[in-house]
Amino acid sequence: ILLHNGVMLVIESGAISLKIGMQYLVFANGAGKLGEKSVVPGIFLYEIILTLLRPWIYLGSKFEKSKWK
């Protein structure tokens, strides 16, 4: 079981690293073309904030009464 968890941890870490790396490359390329290179380091802060906010957004939508029914 311990070996299986280690393998899964490596796979998940690799997938997350690949996602952040690709996102950074696309964002940096676009920011460079628009002349906004100063915002590129903020992508990591944005990712952390968004990751922390997702559970609250999800839970808030589950407990709120819908006005569209």
Side-chain angles (χ1 to χ4, degrees):
I1 293 176
L2 200 54
L3 178 62
H4 177 67
N5 288 340
V7 170
M8 290 304 293
L9 181 63
V10 169
I11 291 172
E12 290 172 6
S13 298
I16 291 170
S17 298
L18 181 65
K19 180 227 181 233
I20 291 174
M22 293 292 288
Q23 184 178 357
Y24 183 81
L25 286 173
V26 169
F27 191 78
N29 188 19
K33 288 182 179 181
L34 294 172
E36 296 290 336
K37 292 183 182 181
S38 63
V39 297
V40 173
I43 192 169
F44 296 112
L45 179 63
Y46 168 76
E47 236 356 90
I48 292 169
I49 291 172
L50 188 61
T51 302
L52 294 174
L53 285 178
R54 277 188 189 134
W56 278 280
I57 294 170
Y58 175 76
L59 289 174
S61 69
K62 290 296 178 187
F63 294 114
E64 186 175 313
K65 298 263 185 197
S66 177
K67 296 177 184 177
W68 295 97
K69 288 185 179 180

